[in-house]
Amino acid sequence: MIRPYFLLFISLFVSSGIHAKANADRPKLVVGIVVDQMRWDYLYYYYNEYREDGLKRLMNEGFSCENTMISYMPTITAVGHASLYTGTVPSVHGIAGNDFTINGDFVTSVTDTTVTAVGAESPDKRTGQCSPHNMLSGTIGDALKIATDFKSKVYGVALKDRAAILPAGHGADGAFWWDNKSGHFITSTYYMDKLPLWADAFNKRNKQKPETEVMCSPLGVTLTFKMASEILSQEHLGSDNITDLLAISISSTDIVGHTYGTRGKENHDVYMQLDKELGQFLTKLDQKVGRGNYLLFLTADHGAIHNPNMSLKHKIPSSGWDVSATKESLEEGLKAKFGVEGKYIRSIGDLRIYLDREFIEKNGLDFCAVKQEAVRLLREDTQFLYVVDYENIENQSIPKLIRERLINGYHRGRSGDIAVCLRANMMHGKADADYKGTTHGTWSPDDSHIPLLFMGWHVNEGSTDTYTENIDMAATVCAMLHIQMPNGNLGKPIQEVYRK
């Protein structure tokens, strides 16, 4: 006969297990902030001008990983956002660039022809036909959804579509991005059939005239944080004991950098606005969610090189890669070798060369022979440190770190055929005498060294100079939440960040 006290013991054991599951030690809210094109050294370049409640607060109250590097190339926006939240690299998650090929056709990172725009007044395909379906692995938000039986709420917001969509993940409740033609935020039918009433009201209050330059101004920073605050309030994120996630990306910093460079009034002003808006947003989190009840991280998708003309003015060697000139020279060289007029090169972008397979096959040429000749011709150009056949990287003499980044960044069928590595002092793009902007994409620390700060729930105060990688962020957050890491994760938890 089973004794009554034994039944009581079993009952208490089972109920305590259920209770433990229901009360897993987690914050009420996770907030991720990606500052597009934020170099790591901006933390210190503008430090004396930052407010106490903004970036300085993150640095003083939180934990800074001072030596965080991007573990692949090319170092560009879509790849950065996908890699941060999946904890893995393009060879796994499949977001090979801002644009790349799928089944031979060029697409954007978030192209999805099965969905349409929601909220756009004059929608076009690029603006509204967007979803995360090109991303082949899950995100922090997807892992959080599964861990809470899909009770967690997950949202993404940014001016750029890819910067809102990819971090939010496949299972997100919503992602909102800016439509310049409409002058407000939109989404797609992947998430919902119509905008929530609160989003319609927000858009009416904050509507801009069509084609207003929001992206390349501090106004874009303000609108993004205002929309993030509206999502926080209207969707009641962090209002109960089930952890939610809000992924925010600040896009204006990237557009300002591309236009005006890493120095000057415009760059200064957009980072001052970022600091101001961040401080106000942190105060709102303190009020709405409670100080110590949320976990926040701030990082970047990539950095940027200093403008070559500025560097040259101060006798620092620098230059820009004229992609059009390389394409023209390469076409001439291949025509001379194989004796066939036509288009051998389909596209050059993101430091990658896509050969025109259809043309090569149509003219009865050997694809491998064409590729080998293209590599040979490119290696004669001294502006390239290395030129690699993607399918034969392991057999080429390249420093280990650069080789690993090339391998990590290559996704067969999406990444093209040949990669080039520029010299450390070169920019990806032509730099005319009057050029004052910047760009990114290379393996160099200018493009690959990014900030990574954590603050809030269970975060230690301090910093580390230990080498960490951008993909370690997802593993760190998931370890802190006691949930499984994303299904394609390659990163490792940064244990110095948090209290166990």
Side-chain angles (χ1 to χ4, degrees):
M1 184 178 85
I2 300 176
R3 298 180 183 274
Y5 65 80
F6 181 73
L7 291 174
L8 177 62
F9 172 78
I10 294 296
S11 175
L12 289 172
F13 178 80
V14 172
S15 65
S16 66
I18 294 173
H19 180 74
K21 177 183 176 183
N23 293 282
D25 189 20
R26 292 174 186 148
K28 290 185 176 183
L29 177 67
V30 176
V31 178
I33 301 175
V34 179
V35 183
D36 204 323
Q37 203 186 114
M38 184 175 182
R39 290 170 55 101
W40 163 81
D41 57 3
Y42 286 162
L43 291 175
Y44 298 97
Y45 182 69
Y46 294 122
Y47 183 84
N48 291 337
E49 297 184 73
Y50 289 145
R51 299 152 51 108
E52 295 299 323
D53 60 354
L55 284 162
K56 273 188 182 177
R57 180 178 170 188
L58 295 188
M59 297 173 74
N60 294 334
E61 294 184 16
F63 192 93
S64 180
C65 301
E66 297 281 282
N67 192 22
T68 300
M69 296 288 181
I70 294 175
S71 57
Y72 52 79
M73 58 176 293
T75 46
I76 52 178
T77 299
V79 187
H81 284 82
S83 299
L84 285 164
Y85 280 85
T86 61
T88 194
V89 295
S91 64
V92 177
H93 62 59
I95 301 299
N98 292 334
D99 303 276
F100 48 86
T101 55
I102 295 181
N103 298 324
D105 296 323
F106 271 99
V107 298
T108 77
S109 58
V110 291
T111 295
D112 186 350
T113 58
T114 68
V115 301
T116 56
V118 172
E121 294 178 1
S122 301
D124 58 42
K125 290 183 178 181
R126 174 114 188 181
T127 298
Q129 291 193 310
C130 301
S131 86
H133 87 124
N134 290 332
M135 187 164 59
L136 304 178
S137 55
T139 61
I140 299 170
D142 295 334
L144 181 61
K145 284 274 190 180
I146 294 170
T148 61
D149 294 326
F150 301 92
K151 296 175 183 176
S152 293
K153 288 173 281 188
V154 176
Y155 284 87
V157 60
L159 297 183
K160 294 181 181 180
D161 50 15
R162 54 191 178 271
I165 291 167
L166 299 174
H170 300 276
D173 297 277
F176 302 94
W177 57 95
W178 189 259
D179 177 22
N180 214 35
K181 290 185 177 179
S182 301
H184 60 227
F185 284 97
I186 66 168
T187 187
S188 80
T189 52
Y190 179 86
Y191 304 99
M192 56 195 76
D193 294 328
K194 61 180 181 179
L195 288 177
L197 292 177
W198 64 259
D200 274 328
F202 177 90
N203 280 339
K204 289 177 182 177
R205 293 195 308 272
N206 296 278
K207 188 173 180 63
Q208 305 297 312
K209 292 181 180 180
E211 306 302 334
T212 298
E213 192 46 78
V214 170
M215 288 274 196
C216 191
S217 76
L219 175 61
V221 181
T222 300
L223 289 169
T224 303
F225 272 111
K226 287 180 73 171
M227 185 59 166
S229 294
E230 198 72 5
I231 296 169
L232 177 73
S233 298
Q234 298 295 337
E235 296 297 337
H236 308 290
L237 302 187
S239 62
D240 55 30
N241 291 324
I242 300 173
T243 305
D244 301 318
L245 185 147
L246 177 58
I248 305 166
S249 183
I250 306 302
S251 305
S252 294
T253 44
D254 180 71
I255 308 303
V256 168
H258 278 298
T259 307
Y260 300 104
T262 61
R263 294 292 186 264
K265 182 181 186 300
E266 293 82 6
N267 193 275
H268 169 273
D269 289 353
V270 78
Y271 275 92
M272 292 303 103
Q273 193 69 28
L274 167 68
D275 186 49
K276 176 184 175 181
E277 300 294 345
L278 174 62
Q280 294 175 354
F281 185 69
L282 292 175
T283 298
K284 181 160 188 175
L285 287 173
D286 291 343
Q287 295 168 347
K288 288 279 186 180
V289 185
R291 197 177 182 116
N293 289 330
Y294 59 89
L295 168 63
L296 182 143
F297 61 85
L298 182 144
T299 186
D301 52 348
H302 54 75
I305 190 173
H306 295 301
N307 177 270
N309 292 320
M310 182 193 80
S311 296
L312 289 169
K313 183 178 179 180
H314 297 279
K315 301 181 181 180
I316 300 172
S318 188
S319 61
W321 173 34
D322 187 342
V323 178
S324 297
T326 294
K327 185 177 181 181
E328 182 179 345
S329 174
L330 191 55
E331 290 279 17
E332 288 298 319
L334 292 173
K335 182 179 72 173
K337 172 68 175 180
F338 296 101
V340 179
E341 293 276 355
K343 181 182 175 184
Y344 291 83
I345 310 302
R346 185 178 181 189
S347 177
I348 299 181
D350 298 337
L351 299 161
R352 292 165 167 165
I353 295 160
Y354 293 79
L355 296 175
D356 194 322
R357 292 171 179 261
E358 184 177 347
F359 167 81
I360 293 168
E361 181 179 350
K362 181 180 178 181
N363 286 278
L365 301 174
D366 183 287
F367 177 80
C368 290
V370 173
K371 180 167 62 171
Q372 184 177 0
E373 178 63 11
V375 169
R376 188 191 70 79
L377 290 168
L378 289 164
R379 284 177 177 167
E380 292 180 351
D381 191 333
T382 57
Q383 65 187 329
F384 302 129
L385 276 180
Y386 308 103
V387 179
V388 300
D389 171 0
Y390 264 132
E391 289 292 317
N392 192 33
I393 296 175
E394 284 290 354
N395 295 322
Q396 299 173 69
S397 180
I398 305 171
K400 180 181 178 182
L401 182 145
I402 297 177
R403 181 189 297 113
E404 288 179 351
R405 292 183 184 182
L406 284 163
I407 292 171
N408 288 342
Y410 174 58
H411 191 96
R412 184 177 289 112
R414 296 189 175 192
S415 296
D417 306 296
I418 300 167
V420 296
C421 291
L422 301 175
R423 297 196 311 263
N425 59 0
M426 285 193 67
M427 182 185 73
H428 178 200
K430 185 179 179 182
D432 294 325
D434 59 348
Y435 178 71
K436 59 183 179 180
T438 186
T439 187
H440 50 85
T442 74
W443 60 273
S444 168
D446 280 316
D447 294 345
S448 64
H449 189 189
I450 57 173
L452 177 57
L453 302 103
F454 297 83
M455 192 194 79
W457 183 84
H458 285 201
V459 174
N460 294 321
E461 291 184 13
S463 65
T464 181
D465 289 319
T466 301
Y467 178 84
T468 53
E469 296 183 338
N470 62 329
I471 60 173
D472 294 335
M473 186 276 292
T476 302
V477 171
C478 291
M480 294 180 71
L481 298 182
H482 304 293
I483 65 174
Q484 180 63 282
M485 59 190 67
N487 53 24
N489 180 82
L490 293 175
K492 299 176 182 178
I494 308 168
Q495 296 184 8
E496 300 102 310
V497 168
Y498 54 94
R499 304 188 299 274
K500 294 185 178 180

